[in-house]
Amino acid sequence: MSAAANGAGAGEQSVRLDIWLWSARLMPTRSAATAACRGGHVRRNGDPAKAAQRIVVGDELRVRSPGRERIVVVTRILTKRVGAPIARECYEDHSPEPAPQLAAAPPRRERGTGRPTKRERRQFDRLRGRDSTGAAPPWEPPAD
């Protein structure tokens, strides 16, 4: 088996993990990819990965980002950043579906719109479990 075939070569057969993550557009910058590796958010074939590790075709990468874990299998080596359609062809995505967002998000107000109106205040109170009559929320036991 040659050195390039087992991942120790410096040719097109293997590339640094942080460079590939950036090139395949899984990370916005190479330094972000390095920081993710340093923080333990990237695993290669089940083991924690360092940014300088060489990856080869067939490696499974697990990349954690806020609220999501991506599981990808490398199908092609990239050394330079490419467009999104080409980058998508360089890995197989085995990630689970992301968790659905909460159906009832709390009401949002734009910054600088002033004080809430009476109607908005009532909506906030209902959301927090307070009633305009001052009654306790239904999940609290009645006061003796």
Side-chain angles (χ1 to χ4, degrees), residues 11 17 39 45 47 51 55 59 62 68 74-76 86-87 91 100 110 122 124 133 141:
L17 175 61
N45 297 328
D47 299 322
I55 63 166
D59 281 347
R62 291 177 175 259
R68 184 159 191 215
V74 179
T75 58
R76 188 164 35 155
I86 298 170
Y91 60 87
E110 294 294 322
R122 287 183 186 135
F124 283 126
T133 62

Coordinates of all heavy atoms in Angstrom, one line a residue, residues 11 17 39 45 47 51 55 59 62 68 74-76 86-87 91 100 110 122 124 133 141:
G11 N -0.2 14.5 -1.6 CA -0.8 14.9 -2.9 C -2.3 15.1 -2.8 O -2.8 15.6 -1.8
L17 N -8.0 18.3 7.6 CA -9.4 18.3 7.9 C -10.0 19.7 7.9 O -11.0 19.9 7.3 CB -9.6 17.7 9.3 CG -11.0 17.7 9.9 CD1 -11.9 16.9 9.0 CD2 -11.0 17.1 11.3
G39 N -12.3 22.5 19.9 CA -13.3 22.4 20.9 C -14.0 21.1 21.0 O -14.9 20.9 21.8
N45 N -14.4 9.4 11.9 CA -14.6 7.9 12.1 C -14.8 7.6 13.6 O -14.3 6.6 14.1 CB -13.4 7.2 11.5 CG -13.2 7.4 10.0 OD1 -14.2 7.5 9.3 ND2 -12.0 7.4 9.5
D47 N -13.8 9.2 16.3 CA -12.8 9.7 17.2 C -12.6 11.2 17.1 O -12.8 11.7 16.0 CB -11.4 9.0 16.9 CG -11.4 7.5 17.0 OD1 -12.1 7.0 18.0 OD2 -10.7 6.8 16.2
A51 N -7.3 19.5 13.8 CA -7.4 20.2 12.5 C -6.4 19.7 11.5 O -6.7 19.8 10.3 CB -7.3 21.7 12.8
I55 N -7.4 13.7 5.9 CA -8.6 12.9 5.7 C -8.5 12.3 4.3 O -7.9 12.9 3.4 CB -9.9 13.7 5.8 CG1 -10.0 14.8 4.9 CG2 -10.1 14.2 7.3 CD1 -11.4 15.4 4.8
D59 N -13.9 8.7 4.7 CA -13.9 9.0 6.1 C -15.3 9.6 6.4 O -15.9 10.3 5.7 CB -12.9 10.1 6.4 CG -11.5 9.5 6.6 OD1 -11.4 8.3 6.7 OD2 -10.5 10.3 6.6
R62 N -18.3 13.8 11.7 CA -19.5 14.3 12.5 C -19.1 15.7 13.0 O -18.2 15.9 13.7 CB -19.8 13.4 13.7 CG -20.3 12.1 13.2 CD -20.5 11.2 14.5 NE -21.1 9.9 14.0 CZ -22.4 9.6 14.2 NH1 -23.2 10.5 14.7 NH2 -22.9 8.5 13.7
R68 N -27.6 21.4 15.9 CA -27.6 20.4 14.8 C -26.3 19.6 14.8 O -25.2 20.2 15.1 CB -27.8 21.1 13.5 CG -27.9 20.2 12.3 CD -28.6 20.8 11.1 NE -28.8 19.7 10.2 CZ -28.8 19.9 8.9 NH1 -28.6 21.0 8.4 NH2 -29.0 18.9 8.1
V74 N -16.9 11.6 3.2 CA -16.2 12.3 2.2 C -16.2 11.4 0.9 O -15.8 10.2 0.9 CB -14.7 12.5 2.7 CG1 -13.9 13.1 1.6 CG2 -14.7 13.3 3.9
T75 N -16.5 12.0 -0.2 CA -16.5 11.3 -1.5 C -15.5 11.9 -2.5 O -15.1 11.2 -3.4 CB -17.9 11.3 -2.2 OG1 -18.2 12.7 -2.4 CG2 -18.9 10.7 -1.4
R76 N -15.0 13.1 -2.2 CA -14.0 13.7 -3.0 C -13.2 14.6 -2.2 O -13.7 15.3 -1.3 CB -14.6 14.4 -4.2 CG -13.6 14.9 -5.2 CD -14.2 15.3 -6.5 NE -15.4 15.9 -6.5 CZ -15.9 16.8 -7.4 NH1 -15.1 17.1 -8.5 NH2 -17.1 17.3 -7.3
I86 N -21.0 22.4 -6.4 CA -19.8 21.5 -6.5 C -19.5 20.9 -5.1 O -19.2 19.7 -5.0 CB -18.6 22.2 -7.1 CG1 -19.0 22.7 -8.5 CG2 -17.4 21.3 -7.2 CD1 -18.0 23.6 -9.2
A87 N -19.5 21.8 -4.1 CA -19.2 21.3 -2.7 C -20.1 20.2 -2.3 O -19.7 19.2 -1.7 CB -19.2 22.5 -1.8
Y91 N -19.5 15.2 -0.8 CA -19.8 14.4 0.4 C -21.2 13.9 0.3 O -22.0 14.4 -0.4 CB -19.6 15.2 1.7 CG -20.4 16.5 1.8 CD1 -21.7 16.4 2.3 CD2 -19.9 17.7 1.4 CE1 -22.5 17.6 2.4 CE2 -20.7 18.9 1.5 CZ -22.0 18.8 2.0 OH -22.7 19.9 2.1
P100 N -37.8 20.4 14.5 CA -38.6 21.5 14.1 C -38.6 22.6 15.1 O -38.5 22.4 16.3 CB -40.0 20.8 14.0 CG -39.9 19.6 14.9 CD -38.5 19.2 14.9
E110 N -39.8 44.7 17.2 CA -38.6 45.3 16.6 C -38.0 46.3 17.6 O -38.8 47.0 18.3 CB -39.0 46.1 15.3 CG -39.5 45.1 14.2 CD -38.4 44.2 13.7 OE1 -37.2 44.7 13.6 OE2 -38.7 43.0 13.4
R122 N -51.0 42.5 27.1 CA -51.9 41.4 27.5 C -51.4 40.1 26.9 O -51.4 39.1 27.5 CB -53.3 41.7 27.0 CG -54.0 42.8 27.8 CD -55.4 43.0 27.4 NE -56.0 44.1 28.0 CZ -56.7 45.0 27.5 NH1 -57.0 45.0 26.2 NH2 -57.3 46.0 28.1
F124 N -48.3 39.4 26.2 CA -47.1 39.0 26.9 C -47.5 38.4 28.3 O -47.0 37.4 28.7 CB -46.2 40.2 27.2 CG -45.3 40.6 26.0 CD1 -45.3 41.9 25.6 CD2 -44.5 39.7 25.4 CE1 -44.6 42.2 24.5 CE2 -43.7 40.0 24.3 CZ -43.8 41.3 23.9
T133 N -56.7 39.8 35.2 CA -57.5 39.9 36.4 C -56.7 39.7 37.7 O -57.1 39.8 38.8 CB -58.7 38.9 36.4 OG1 -58.1 37.6 36.4 CG2 -59.6 39.1 35.3
P141 N -51.2 25.9 42.5 CA -52.3 25.5 43.5 C -52.9 26.8 44.0 O -52.2 27.8 44.2 CB -51.6 24.7 44.5 CG -50.2 25.1 44.4 CD -49.9 25.5 43.0

